[in-house]
Amino acid sequence: MEQARQRIRYALVGTGNRGTTMWGRELLAGWSEFVELVGICDLNLMRAERARTMIGSTAPLYADFDAMLAELNPSLVIVCTPDDTHDDLIVRALESGADVISEKPMTTTPEKIARIREAEARTGRRVDVSFNYRFSPTSARIKELIEEGAIGEVTSVDFHWYLDNQHGADYFRRWHAFTKHSGSLFVHKATHHFDLLNWYLDSDPVEVKGFGQLLHYGPNGPFRGERCRTCPHTGECDYYFDLSSDKFLDTLYEEPSSVDGYVRDACVFREDIDIPDTMTASILYRSGVQVSYSLNTYMPIEGHHIAFNGHRGRIELRQYERQPWSVPPADEIVVIKSFGGGTEHIWVPHEPGGHYGGDNRMRDMIFKPGSNDRLRQRAGSRAGAMSVLCGLAALESSRAGGAVAITPLSPEIAR
Ligand SMILES: NC(=O)c1ccc[n+]([C@@H]2O[C@H](COP(=O)([O-])OP(=O)(O)OC[C@H]3O[C@@H](n4cnc5c(N)ncnc54)[C@H](O)[C@@H]3O)[C@@H](O)[C@H]2O)c1
């Protein structure tokens, strides 16, 4: 008789949107054959309690992370708290004997990277970083094309990411709007993009010249309040957000904000916002590849355009995630071969779930035994570190001027 497989006993820390959905409700709905949620931790127990109901779990709640680890001894901890708190929770989880899945970005400073890497080496446990964009169907197809040599050796990349007035603005409503919590969007958001580049190109970035300015949100607004719910400008503000119209977010954040003051609809025009909203970077890779990158946070479209230029052709993708016209339920990758080699149009269908199926593919890869990682999509702490270092170099360059070399930021990792 086949022996019953032991399920992974996991604990969740951080019960905001990401913890509650991706690593709570959805994980249990699709992968409960492989995992069992044994404990839930959040400093805000009212939010944790609501999250537990939304997840459909009966796991015990904790505000004290160490008590949860000591009492439950989980074999996996999934970290879904704000970015600057990841390192502390990751290290404590590793020291308790658990493996860790950290939400991206893995962390926000070189010192925190070093702490995580040291603890991982010392404990012999494993840190996975949740780079779900590697798993989106178009990313996987592009990686295959590059590895097959469809355009010969890649020499440069044009990569432009657009966040729309809804998603982009959301980062200016919360803790992400402050460098000390998010490392700026060069780290918080671009960690996905720099990781994609590192993975696609199979090389490390070595030098970055960045520009970043706050041109739209923060002090640029024509008026401001504390938060949308109490603002006198709701009728005239393009960014008015009625939290009560979103039942899920309202339940998870509004009443629980009475516990910790964490409001979900703070004003995007607050004068103390200190991160750029308009960013570009030129990146040089060790392999010699040059990258031209940009990130804009107030566009009428959401999505990205990427092109790989090689000695024997070019690969293009324009992926829309939200736009004021309709697009087919598939994305078109165009492979244009040089020297009359022809053009191939490859349609990649969207799959169900977040990131056009990337979230589901990543959970399959991590939790289904025997998954074949032929494209090396599963990301560990080194990948987590390299994309953060690239973002920190871009940020430093944008603030201090001049190009910034990556190796001196973290010589142990970026050799
Ligand atoms: N991979 C992706 O596509 C993706 C998408 C969204 C968010 N994320 C990441 O997920 C993480 C969480 O994002 P979110 O939007 O859910 O954040 P959030 O702010 O909505 O929720 C974070 C929760 O963590 C709790 N918390 C804060 N510090 C804590 C601590 N020390 N111990 C225990 N609980 C603590 C807060 O009370 C809050 O409930 C972030 O790192 C974010 O970058 C990743």
Side-chain angles (χ1 to χ4, degrees):
M1 208 170 76
E2 198 187 326
Q3 205 163 357
R5 181 184 292 119
Q6 282 252 307
R7 292 190 295 171
I8 296 170
R9 300 176 65 257
Y10 85 99
L12 184 63
V13 58
T15 57
N17 189 356
R18 194 68 182 161
T20 303
T21 56
M22 171 83 183
W23 299 112
R25 192 170 63 191
E26 293 172 23
L27 185 56
L28 293 183
W31 290 263
S32 57
E33 189 186 334
F34 310 110
V35 297
E36 177 189 4
L37 177 58
V38 296
I40 298 174
C41 173
D42 198 292
L43 295 178
N44 186 329
L45 281 175
M46 193 195 294
R47 185 171 306 112
E49 174 125 45
R50 290 176 177 212
R52 176 169 66 177
T53 305
M54 291 164 161
I55 292 169
S57 163
T58 53
L61 300 180
Y62 292 83
D64 183 334
F65 184 61
D66 291 326
M68 177 174 78
L69 296 178
E71 285 172 30
L72 304 177
N73 196 23
S75 54
L76 173 70
V77 173
I78 305 186
V79 176
C80 303
T81 56
D83 308 344
D84 59 323
T85 65
H86 290 177
D87 65 311
D88 203 36
L89 298 165
I90 292 172
V91 169
R92 283 148 73 190
L94 292 170
E95 287 175 345
S96 80
D99 291 327
V100 171
I101 297 173
S102 172
E103 260 305 346
K104 51 52 56 176
M106 185 173 80
T107 187
T108 51
T109 69
E111 296 71 29
K112 288 170 183 252
I113 288 173
R115 274 193 79 201
I116 293 169
R117 294 274 295 172
E118 185 279 326
E120 190 184 28
R122 171 165 45 85
T123 59
R125 306 312 311 178
R126 172 181 184 139
V127 178
D128 269 275
V129 181
S130 169
F131 284 133
N132 35 358
Y133 268 105
R134 286 188 185 196
F135 292 84
S136 76
T138 46
S139 307
R141 190 71 190 97
I142 287 174
K143 177 75 172 163
E144 282 171 350
L145 288 164
I146 293 172
E147 297 214 334
E148 285 162 12
I151 57 166
E153 188 189 344
V154 174
T155 51
S156 69
V157 185
D158 317 322
F159 190 9
H160 305 289
W161 203 283
Y162 310 103
L163 298 171
D164 68 10
N165 300 111
Q166 187 184 323
H167 187 193
D170 211 37
Y171 294 121
F172 294 82
R173 301 187 193 283
R174 308 191 275 152
W175 48 265
H176 314 66
F178 302 96
T179 308
K180 68 176 179 191
H181 295 309
S182 66
S184 84
L185 296 181
F186 264 137
V187 172
H188 173 81
K189 188 65 191 171
T191 190
H192 271 308
H193 315 149
F194 297 147
D195 176 68
L196 275 175
L197 287 165
N198 300 348
W199 171 69
Y200 281 136
L201 299 173
D202 201 13
S203 182
D204 287 341
V206 290
E207 194 173 346
V208 185
K209 174 75 192 95
F211 292 96
Q213 288 168 284
L214 182 57
L215 299 175
H216 187 79
Y217 301 109
N220 301 290
F223 38 68
R224 55 198 43 80
E226 271 182 35
R227 56 176 306 204
C228 291
R229 184 162 293 225
T230 57
C231 186
H233 303 288
T234 55
E236 52 193 324
C237 184
D238 290 327
Y239 288 101
Y240 171 57
F241 169 43
D242 178 8
L243 184 59
S244 65
S245 67
D246 185 325
K247 194 165 180 318
F248 174 83
L249 290 183
D250 195 47
T251 306
L252 201 54
Y253 291 95
E254 184 50 27
E255 270 178 22
S257 73
S258 64
V259 174
D260 55 11
Y262 173 24
V263 297
R264 191 64 183 68
D265 61 351
C267 181
V268 300
F269 297 134
R270 282 167 297 162
E271 288 188 317
D272 55 348
I273 286 174
D274 73 352
I275 61 165
D277 54 25
T278 312
M279 289 145 277
T280 60
S282 295
I283 310 165
L284 179 67
Y285 274 76
R286 182 158 288 129
S287 59
V289 175
Q290 301 169 31
V291 174
S292 167
Y293 168 80
S294 71
L295 174 60
N296 190 300
T297 57
Y298 44 91
M299 289 293 95
I301 59 165
E302 170 98 7
H304 73 281
H305 296 177
I306 192 164
F308 295 84
N309 307 303
H311 285 297
R312 304 203 62 81
R314 175 174 159 96
I315 299 170
E316 292 180 357
L317 167 71
R318 289 180 173 224
Q319 182 161 69
Y320 292 99
E321 297 186 34
R322 211 163 27 233
Q323 64 295 313
W325 66 93
S326 55
V327 296
D331 292 303
E332 183 188 25
I333 297 173
V334 187
V335 185
I336 312 139
K337 309 244 183 183
S338 303
F339 316 115
T343 301
E344 194 184 353
H345 297 262
I346 302 168
W347 284 94
V348 183
H350 297 164
E351 294 176 10
H355 302 90
Y356 290 148
D359 289 2
N360 290 340
R361 287 183 177 207
M362 182 173 74
R363 284 177 292 221
D364 277 349
M365 179 69 77
I366 294 176
F367 296 112
K368 282 194 176 163
S371 297
N372 177 1
D373 193 7
R374 69 191 169 85
L375 294 175
R376 303 175 304 287
Q377 285 164 297
R378 200 168 166 179
S381 65
R382 186 174 189 282
M386 286 312 301
S387 68
V388 169
L389 291 172
C390 189
L392 290 171
L395 182 67
E396 187 181 325
S397 168
S398 73
R399 290 188 171 160
V404 171
I406 290 184
T407 305
L409 297 179
S410 185
E412 291 302 308
I413 296 161
R415 274 189 274 244

